[in-house]
Amino acid sequence: MSLRLPVSLKITVPLILLGFAATLSAVNLVYHVPQAERAAEDDIRKRLAQEMSRLQSTLEYLLLKGDEAAAAHEIAVLAHNHDYVFAALTDYENRVIAATRRAWLGRAIVDVLPNFDRDEGVQAVRGHPARIDTGDGREALLAYSGIMMASEHDELRPSRSGSLFVAYDLTRSKAEARAQVLQQSFYWAGWVTALALFMWLVFHYLLTRRTARLVRAAEELAGGNLSARSGLKGHDELGRLSRAFDSVALAVERDLEEKKRSAQMFAQQREALHQREKLAALGSLLAGVAHELNNPLSVVVARAVMLEEQGHPATKVAAEKIRTAAERCARIVRTFLAMARQQPPERGPVAVNEVVSAALDMTAYAVRTSNIEVAVDLADDIPTVLADADQLHQVLLNLIVNAQQVLQDLPGKRRIRVASRFDPDALVIRIAVADNGPGIPEHLRARVFEPYFTTKPSGLGTGVGLAVSHGIVTAHGGTLTLDCPEMGGAVFTITLPVCLADESDDADGPSREIRASRRKILIVDDEAEIRDILAEILREGQHRVAAVSSGREALERMASERYDVILTDIRMPDLDGRTLYREIERRWPEQAARVVFVTGDSLAATLHEFASEHGRPVIEKPFVPRDVRRIVAEIAGQDP
């Protein structure tokens, strides 16, 4: 969670100026401290070279005379200078004969200085000037030089030589150099800071103080104080801006009411767009869910029906229970799809009680977990009517969900009653959804069907559901009314005029099976279970069945064999049903009339449009054996 602090020019300007001063100081430190340390090191290197030259001359003089005690004294004197880490003098056998550290006496130099390279030492001895190297970590200088020593015999030119080693500590010198740079940096940082503060005072007096007055006036105006004015004087930019602001304030005061009505309309449009976006997202999700669920449901339903058809009493009872449960699952899937389907309303024969049952199935879990008792009273004489089943389902679902939300937090026994009745005298069907909740106050009852009006707490309702439901029922020529009985609760009643559908065309359709002679059938589906159950259904009709798992395999089969019926799934990887149909139509036009599409994605309108455009039948999952045999018989019975 980020913490947002109020931003003000009188804070940001000095912070920027101080940041500038700090940056200059930091740059000064970053650049000059290493430079000062290098200068200190170079100065010490020169002085150490001079000291080594002096020591070299002095020690050679003393050693050539044979006065080793005086030479040892010269080395010991260096111990009083704390800047010298150590000093050591070795003989021609590289053994320490004098040192500032007594423990080194008599030891080989390589033992006390393990990092000393003897070959480099020999080169230093041969080259008369001392050699100076930087030690580990650049915290010390190590200087070493050759020292001519007396020979055993009086020789005109001594042939023996030793070595002088001196280490000088750089820590104190570098610290002094850094301290001097820091002192200078703080000095200049103080001056830069003082200049920054002075510039801020000038800036504050000329700009930020006057800007703050203008900002306060703008904030008061935004908060609803229409009389807020800045009142700045002057002819500079801020003065002109102040006068322009005051003019705008007057215009805002005149147009405020109009602006509020634009804002309200915009909020309504945004809410409607949000609802459409959620519905579109739901539709995309349900398309995949329906396809995945309809495949196993097809297997369960079809096998249950086939077990029922075998006629064994015990098996028939068990199969009927399996089929009933699977068909309920399929009905719930179809109901979900109906909610999310984005297509124009379509009127057709509707069994009202089935729509009510589907809505109750959809809300069963939410109602049951809210500990609400549901009483269902559906009349048996409800006629089939012409209506849009999806829209009617949406209305009933909304009414039941509203009742459940009203009751879920109430104490005591909670009840919802759903009833349907047919009035043959008035030729209307009435569907009532009643609850025993607190009801709706009388002064609000006339507004419940207004768009965006809701009595629910924030986050539970948008005020859209009842308005949409009222519009749907009205479009069907009916009414949606509210009644609040004296004993409490609310009753929503849907009244629909009866326009009896012509059922003569479908009277024999579902139960009548068209028999066809033995035919060759090709099944194309990427789901093995679907291929198996379709093959089993058709083989019972004595058909010769071949099954493949992809569109490419189907094309390879059709290149060498002719089939009377081709059942193909629409959604398949690699080569889907539509692409397969186009290839069949291109290669074997006469075979295209033998194609039947099988799909579990009943949400996608484009799939049905494709099938309708090419005049091909569609078997929707989950299917029953009777429908599969009927469609196959119809296609197989056509003239080739």
Side-chain angles (χ1 to χ4, degrees), residues 81-131:
N81 189 339
H82 297 294
D83 288 332
Y84 286 95
V85 180
F86 65 83
L89 178 63
T90 65
D91 59 9
Y92 62 90
E93 292 181 343
N94 287 323
R95 292 192 175 276
V96 179
I97 60 175
T100 56
R101 300 181 182 180
R102 291 175 180 258
W104 289 13
L105 295 176
R107 300 177 63 185
I109 190 65
V110 294
D111 293 336
V112 297
L113 294 177
N115 294 330
F116 174 67
D117 191 334
R118 181 175 295 179
D119 294 335
E120 290 187 1
V122 172
Q123 295 295 329
V125 171
R126 292 177 181 174
H128 190 68
R131 181 165 182 172

Side-chain angles (χ1 to χ4, degrees), residues 323-336:
R323 177 180 55 81
T324 302
E327 286 178 346
R328 183 185 178 193
C329 293
R331 187 166 61 250
I332 292 174
V333 172
R334 285 195 298 270
T335 303
F336 268 119

Side-chain angles (χ1 to χ4, degrees), residues 370-447:
S370 298
N371 198 24
I372 298 173
E373 176 188 335
V374 178
V376 182
D377 182 12
L378 304 180
D380 296 331
D381 60 344
I382 304 295
T384 301
V385 297
L386 287 175
D388 187 292
D390 294 342
Q391 289 190 340
L392 292 184
H393 175 269
Q394 182 180 353
V395 173
L396 286 164
L397 189 66
N398 183 67
L399 296 179
I400 297 172
V401 169
N402 283 350
Q404 178 261 327
Q405 291 177 345
V406 167
L407 295 174
Q408 63 182 358
D409 295 324
L410 293 181
K413 194 172 183 179
R414 309 159 191 162
R415 293 188 303 274
I416 295 176
R417 182 175 182 273
V418 182
S420 65
R421 293 291 184 271
F422 172 52
D423 186 346
D425 297 328
L427 286 180
V428 294
I429 296 172
R430 294 186 178 89
I431 309 167
V433 179
D435 63 71
N436 65 334
I440 299 176
E442 186 174 357
H443 67 284
L444 296 179
R445 295 174 190 172
R447 300 190 58 193

Side-chain angles (χ1 to χ4, degrees), residues 9-10 13-14 17 195-205:
L9 288 176
K10 62 183 178 182
V13 169
L17 295 174
L195 178 61
L197 292 175
F198 174 75
M199 293 175 61
W200 171 70
L201 289 174
V202 175
F203 186 83
H204 174 69
Y205 180 78

Side-chain angles (χ1 to χ4, degrees), residues 279-294:
L279 193 61
L282 177 64
S284 178
L285 175 64
L286 289 179
V289 173
H291 187 267
E292 293 302 318
L293 287 179
N294 280 333

